[in-house]
Amino acid sequence: MKTFGKLIIVGSITGLLLSGCGKKTKTEEHSYLTIKGSDTMVHLASNWAEAFMNAHPGIDISVTGGGSGTGIAALLNGTSNICIASRKIKSKELSLAEEKRIYPKEIVTARDGIAIVVNPENTVETLSIEQIGKIYTGAYTNWKQVGGPNQQIIVLSRESSSGTFVFFQKRVMNKKDYTRKAMLMPSTAAIIQSVSQDKWAIGYVGLGYGTEAKDRIKIVLVKDGDTPAIEPSIKTVQSGEYGIARPLHFYTNGEPIGVVGQFVNYVLSNEGQKIVLETGYVPIN
Amino acid sequence: MKNWQEKIIQILLVGAASASILIVLLIFLFLGKEAFPFVSDPGIRVLLEHQWIPVSFKREVFGIIPLITGSVLVTILATGLMIPFGVLGAVYIAEIAIEKERAFLKPFIEIMAGIPSVVIGFFGLVVLSPVLKEVFQLNTGLTALLGAILLALMAIPTVISISEDAIRSVPKSFKEASLALGASRLQTIFRVVVPAALPGIIAAVMLGIGRVIGETMVVLMVTGNAAQITFNPVESVRTMTATIAAEMGEVAFGSNHYQALFWVGIVLLVITFGLNYVAQKVLNRYRMG
């Protein structure tokens, strides 16, 4: 509280000094905004922040990663204004928030499709969500069980600390455990590297990364129940046709007002959503 | 005056020497404190299960057996590679190489010791993994063996440097006596010099093993990190160090998972302690004999 007071004082003094220069408009006082959370979203959030700061020179924004969990903890401790999260807030975290009299408000800012990738030499073109789930739980271990050649499947996953790991487990694997044979890779780049080298590997990566590496890997078309096989793309994720997609959230303390509100409005504006597209994610509309 | 100065220096030295003891004790204390609540809930027996499933919608399992076997497998393989290359290399440099060769070899070995582990890991991932896959006809190169090769690469400079010191410090009279008795050069090296330097060589290997078992980045990058119990060198394994490094960052503070990771740390510390203890014992016994 004390430091916050100091910040305001410092801010207003700078404001006064600057207004003395004459060129600056008085309406924009200096303010700070901190954003923290999901590593998936850090790149996107910094792009937003950069563009926003260019348009509003009086506002400074700092963006740090560390994971969705870390971001939510920072929001609850009052050390950050906005939490970026690639998963929904858990009920445990919500009850903790209530104790601390913080009221997380969820805002969907973009969507992210998860692409299933295999080696270009693999003959398998389409998989159903059910089949993918069985591959990852270890029920299927050979490509011939899903219409491919008689070769053992090498299952690649992200590390268990990743938000994508949990999302995938929930959406694709029916909340079952990963097979013990699953190799946990430390990064998306490692998954793409491995799939491009190992003929019979399968992995999952964010749509943006997947399309970028399209010359080295093959993106599998995904069937959800009776639907036709759908290729993940901005269009199919947006329309909801492609089954393995998730929203990317902002969490703020209560309704976003003031500078936070300004930033949130910017992110949801056409301009902000254009940045989503440029960063390789899917705009909300 | 002089006495007074010496006192101060002595106190400083005692302080410096005991600082490390204090730090080790504090580390043990801290690890114990964070890990202890696990004993009552969910109970220490959970650690002995055969699966490591820290994130699950059904039941989280924190059996550290697969992590231990992973570390042990990688370490044994790396040691197997490190001893012949390290010790024979040291013998060559200390006994056979001429001065010019030595002047050429030594700096290169020292450079190898200074390569950052992440660079070695990257090299393994991009260059060595496809080679291994081809040679052994594997589906993927990310195996315990790849990790062991890279770790041996990192430990060999240490083994060579210390073994070479040990070999060179064998008294010249030993060699001269052996040669005078009509032994050939090779006989002298392997029957007289190497046995005389054995305590130093064993210490070198132990230090190498210490480096291998504690190394994190390389194994995290190249062993595939599948937590399965296996002693097949061409399968993927998950080591204790890689598990801590990969999972500590995102784990909820004070959760069972968090405590289990501290248990992994304790086990790792105890193993390294045991290794050092054995190394000391071996050294002492040879010195006595």
Side-chain angles (χ1 to χ4, degrees):
Chain A
M1 203 55 226
K2 232 179 178 178
T3 40
F4 190 54
K6 269 188 202 156
L7 276 186
I8 289 181
I9 292 167
V10 170
S12 31
I13 289 174
T14 0
L16 281 174
L17 287 175
L18 287 177
S19 61
C21 298
K23 271 201 169 178
K24 200 87 179 177
T25 49
K26 278 182 199 172
T27 42
E28 265 186 355
E29 274 192 28
H30 213 88
S31 19
Y32 301 92
L33 206 62
T34 55
I35 303 177
K36 200 173 166 81
S38 160
D39 287 320
T40 314
M41 289 177 71
V42 163
H43 193 48
L44 179 59
S46 6
N47 284 354
W48 275 328
E50 226 167 88
F52 186 75
M53 283 190 288
N54 280 343
H56 306 264
I59 300 171
D60 276 336
I61 305 178
S62 79
V63 182
T64 36
S68 303
T70 325
I72 289 171
L75 184 73
L76 300 194
N77 293 331
T79 51
S80 82
N81 305 99
I82 298 175
C83 157
I84 41 181
S86 61
R87 62 164 168 84
K88 269 185 179 291
I89 192 165
K90 292 178 189 159
S91 55
K92 233 189 228 172
E93 287 161 338
L94 268 178
S95 56
L96 197 65
E98 210 163 310
E99 261 172 50
K100 298 193 173 188
R101 292 174 191 279
I102 285 188
Y103 306 97
K105 161 98 176 125
E106 180 183 300
I107 303 148
V108 176
T109 54
R111 296 181 71 80
D112 182 22
I114 305 290
I116 308 297
V117 295
V118 295
N119 189 280
E121 287 187 46
N122 195 328
T123 50
V124 172
E125 301 283 343
T126 63
L127 288 170
S128 70
I129 288 188
E130 199 195 341
Q131 282 173 325
I132 300 166
K134 280 189 170 159
I135 288 172
Y136 271 88
T137 53
Y140 289 165
T141 55
N142 195 303
W143 281 109
K144 72 176 179 206
Q145 286 165 295
V146 291
N150 182 12
Q151 289 286 348
Q152 220 195 324
I153 304 176
I154 297 171
V155 180
L156 303 176
S157 158
R158 287 292 310 281
E159 272 291 349
S160 60
S161 57
S162 151
T164 321
F165 178 98
V166 180
F167 166 76
F168 197 80
Q169 194 171 20
K170 218 165 160 179
R171 175 70 186 89
V172 178
M173 299 165 62
N174 254 329
K175 301 192 177 184
K176 288 189 187 121
D177 289 331
Y178 281 80
T179 164
R180 256 183 283 176
K181 297 250 175 203
M183 313 222 303
L184 306 189
M185 312 302 276
S187 65
T188 300
I191 291 189
I192 287 179
Q193 165 77 16
S194 191
V195 167
S196 67
Q197 269 179 7
D198 304 336
K199 259 190 231 169
W200 309 112
I202 183 170
Y204 56 80
V205 299
L207 180 56
Y209 291 98
T211 23
E212 212 168 274
K214 231 176 169 173
D215 48 330
R216 299 159 61 202
I217 51 159
K218 185 166 80 177
I219 296 178
V220 173
L221 311 191
V222 174
K223 269 196 286 194
D224 187 2
D226 305 327
T227 66
I230 304 282
E231 185 184 2
S233 71
I234 285 156
K235 219 179 109 209
T236 53
V237 168
Q238 218 165 41
S239 66
E241 286 170 89
Y242 184 70
I244 316 172
R246 60 179 171 177
L248 301 176
H249 304 101
F250 269 11
Y251 284 98
T252 56
N253 182 13
E255 288 288 336
I257 44 165
V259 185
V260 177
Q262 241 181 309
F263 184 66
V264 170
N265 284 338
Y266 171 76
V267 162
L268 298 178
S269 72
N270 284 337
E271 219 174 310
Q273 291 299 305
K274 222 175 93 195
I275 290 175
V276 172
L277 203 60
E278 282 161 12
T279 320
Y281 295 99
V282 179
I284 35 176
N285 42 42
Chain B
M1 183 61 191
K2 219 167 192 175
N3 214 345
W4 177 77
Q5 271 183 335
E6 246 164 49
K7 264 266 160 62
I8 286 195
I9 288 173
Q10 196 187 350
I11 289 172
L12 278 176
L13 291 180
V14 167
S18 40
S20 54
I21 297 181
L22 195 72
I23 289 168
V24 169
L25 281 179
L26 283 176
I27 288 176
F28 255 117
L29 211 70
F30 177 70
L31 284 181
K33 187 186 141 261
E34 296 295 333
F36 188 72
F38 199 86
V39 177
S40 49
D41 167 45
I44 200 99
R45 292 186 63 155
V46 175
L47 293 176
L48 299 176
E49 289 199 41
H50 291 227
Q51 280 175 307
W52 176 263
I53 310 172
V55 177
S56 171
F57 287 93
K58 298 203 160 72
R59 176 172 165 265
E60 294 166 351
V61 186
F62 303 106
I64 58 178
I65 307 277
L67 310 182
I68 294 177
T69 57
S71 277
V72 167
L73 178 64
V74 171
T75 307
I76 289 176
L77 290 171
T79 312
L81 290 166
M82 165 175 95
I83 290 177
F85 282 99
V87 175
L88 293 181
V91 166
Y92 184 80
I93 290 177
E95 290 293 319
I96 301 169
I98 54 169
E99 201 47 54
K100 258 191 193 160
E101 283 177 299
R102 192 176 6 245
F104 180 74
L105 284 169
K106 283 281 280 194
F108 269 94
I109 289 165
E110 269 145 31
I111 287 174
M112 221 168 96
I115 300 175
S117 56
V118 67
V119 175
I120 293 198
F122 194 64
F123 165 76
L125 209 58
V126 178
V127 180
L128 216 53
S129 156
V131 174
L132 214 65
K133 204 170 70 176
E134 204 55 44
V135 171
F136 291 94
Q137 294 292 310
L138 303 173
N139 278 332
T140 172
L142 302 179
T143 56
L145 182 63
L146 178 58
I149 292 174
L150 296 173
L151 289 175
L153 215 64
M154 296 177 67
I156 282 172
T158 318
V159 178
I160 289 187
S161 294
I162 299 173
S163 305
E164 194 215 340
D165 278 347
I167 293 169
R168 281 162 81 88
S169 60
V170 172
K172 227 179 166 183
S173 55
F174 282 30
K175 242 192 304 183
E176 284 163 355
S178 165
L179 291 170
L181 285 171
S184 72
R185 201 169 168 202
L186 269 186
Q187 280 172 328
T188 307
I189 289 173
F190 286 106
R191 299 271 171 85
V192 177
V193 178
V194 170
L198 203 56
I201 293 175
I202 290 176
V205 171
M206 286 290 181
L207 275 174
I209 295 177
R211 169 134 203 219
V212 165
I213 207 167
E215 169 52 42
T216 306
M217 198 61 215
V218 164
V219 285
L220 181 62
M221 286 170 85
V222 306
T223 57
N225 301 318
Q228 50 181 338
I229 299 177
T230 175
F231 282 100
N232 183 353
V234 292
E235 287 255 5
S236 161
V237 295
R238 189 175 183 84
T239 66
M240 293 189 276
T241 48
T243 305
I244 297 177
E247 294 173 13
M248 204 62 197
E250 186 86 10
V251 69
F253 189 82
S255 63
N256 281 340
H257 185 190
Y258 174 86
Q259 292 156 5
L261 287 177
F262 273 91
W263 273 108
V264 176
I266 289 177
V267 171
L268 198 57
L269 201 59
V270 167
I271 290 177
T272 359
F273 251 67
L275 266 175
N276 274 321
Y277 182 75
V278 171
Q280 285 297 331
K281 280 269 153 187
V282 169
L283 266 175
N284 285 341
R285 218 169 95 200
Y286 274 93
R287 269 192 202 132
M288 298 286 197

